[in-house]
Amino acid sequence: MYSLPMPLPRVALPLVLLAACSDETSTCRNGKRDHGELCLTMGSTVRLVGGPHAAAVADMDSDGDNDLTIVHAEGDNLSILDNDGKGGFSITRTLGVGDAPSGIAAADLDDDGDTDLVTVQARGDSLRVLRNQDGELSVAQAITVGKEPISVALGHLDNDSVPDMSVAERAGAQVRIISGVRTPSGYSVGTSQEIPFPSVRKVLVSDMNRDGLLDILVLTSSSVELLRNEGSGSFTRGAAFALEQPAADISVAAIDRNTDPCLVVAIPSVGIIVAKADGEGTLRTHLTLGPGSASASERPVALAVGDMNGDGKDDIVAANAASASVSIALAAPTGFRVHRLRGVPDPSEVLAAELNDDGALDVALMHENGVSVYLSSP
């Protein structure tokens, strides 16, 4: 269920000028990072025909190492890049997943200990559930949804033990919430509810008001709106965070150790906005990363968050289209300290995850030529 939307407050965007580090890949000393700093080195690059469109990190073969799963809209397929445990990747499997896959998410849907996948087919108006059985993937179910789905997020949305789905349907102008159902054969879907959202672009799940329930963040062309989880699969529309310009990506971060979650928004024409949530999930602008960081002149188009330097606070990783770079903004008491990786051709998506089994987060960057991995030293 849902209630009528609240009016969108127009929020002035304060510009915070931040001193940026020089354009180095790291501040490594003898191959290690100083406390609170960053040490990244170039790892492997895998060329992909047709270019990657969306990606997710998951251990697909149960060997304890995070692999990369990537969908290609041009090739209508999915590639699995196997991790050798040291941050080296190679393509081990390619699987057809329908017409123009535009999104992907990973979770153990059938509770068998293997990570399954859900892909989104924008032109096919459908989802594909890919079941993983001991490392072998197969299409277990095709789910018809509304017009032009472009994003899917998985999570426990109705207080049971089965993952549910939230889907952004761009041409259908709505968000669809689909309940997951455990069956004797594994996983299926049950009831769904549709909530109107004109110009929807992305969905993301996170507990924004720290009540133990996953909420849904919905990115549209003019706002980020909260669907507040009331329990048992019931949602109400909460406060919306208005955007002066269209955003390319959103994420959620714990930038301050003991406060509510922060929304991170990449707006190509503005930069990166960080908005803090209060106890009810209402978002207020905290700061904007402007010139000298991931600014409008660099056109940030994709985001990842994670503790990149081991100080207990989430940092912001942004892929920048205009400057062909990746910015890593390290959270600091007075703002952010920014490092860059240069020479990235047409970046499209970025992920932060542990990729070489050393306890430190690494960076995987999708670009027009494939995937490049940058490894962080602990």
Side-chain angles (χ1 to χ4, degrees), residues 204-208 217 250-254 261-264 303 305-306 314:
L204 182 69
V205 295
S206 181
D207 182 4
M208 296 302 293
L217 287 164
I250 58 173
S251 191
V252 174
C262 291
L263 171 70
V264 185
L303 290 171
V305 300
D314 280 345

Side-chain angles (χ1 to χ4, degrees), residues 22-250:
S22 60
D23 291 337
E24 302 290 339
T25 59
S26 70
T27 55
C28 296
R29 294 186 180 183
N30 298 321
K32 300 291 184 181
R33 67 182 176 201
D34 290 339
H35 178 70
E37 288 299 333
L38 183 71
C39 180
L40 283 169
T41 56
M42 183 68 182
S44 61
T45 294
V46 180
R47 295 189 65 86
L48 297 172
V49 177
H53 192 90
V57 175
D59 181 4
M60 298 303 298
D61 50 10
S62 300
D63 63 354
D65 301 315
N66 280 323
D67 307 305
L68 298 175
T69 62
I70 301 170
V71 290
H72 314 268
E74 294 181 11
D76 297 339
N77 60 26
L78 162 75
S79 293
I80 306 296
L81 275 62
D82 185 61
N83 188 345
D84 65 6
K86 300 178 182 179
F89 289 85
S90 59
I91 301 173
T92 56
R93 283 160 289 173
T94 300
L95 182 69
V97 290
D99 198 9
S102 57
I104 186 170
D108 183 2
L109 299 176
D110 51 10
D111 197 31
D112 65 351
D114 296 321
T115 302
D116 308 300
L117 300 174
V118 176
T119 62
V120 182
Q121 281 62 243
R123 286 201 295 264
D125 297 341
S126 65
L127 309 177
R128 295 286 192 278
V129 176
L130 306 177
R131 187 179 183 189
N132 185 356
Q133 294 179 288
D134 299 323
E136 295 297 324
L137 277 175
S138 61
V139 178
Q141 190 174 8
I143 304 169
T144 300
V145 294
K147 294 182 179 179
E148 198 181 356
I150 55 172
S151 172
V152 63
L154 303 176
H156 299 287
L157 302 176
D158 56 7
N159 296 341
D160 64 12
S161 61
V162 186
D164 310 297
M165 305 179 186
S166 57
V167 185
E169 300 172 0
R170 182 163 54 190
Q174 63 185 11
V175 169
R176 183 182 301 268
I177 303 169
I178 306 172
S179 64
V181 178
R182 196 82 72 208
T183 67
S185 60
Y187 180 85
S188 187
V189 295
T191 60
S192 68
Q193 55 179 304
E194 299 82 38
I195 304 175
F197 271 99
S199 304
V200 63
R201 298 187 173 194
K202 184 175 181 176
V203 287
L204 182 69
V205 295
S206 181
D207 182 4
M208 296 302 293
N209 55 355
R210 298 203 293 185
D211 63 355
L213 302 173
L214 286 178
D215 308 300
I216 302 174
L217 287 164
V218 182
L219 173 65
T220 73
S221 61
S222 60
S223 70
V224 180
E225 188 166 337
L226 177 69
L227 288 177
R228 189 168 49 242
N229 193 338
E230 305 294 347
S232 301
S234 174
F235 291 83
T236 58
R237 295 179 86 143
F241 181 74
L243 304 173
E244 297 291 342
Q245 299 291 332
D249 200 7
I250 58 173

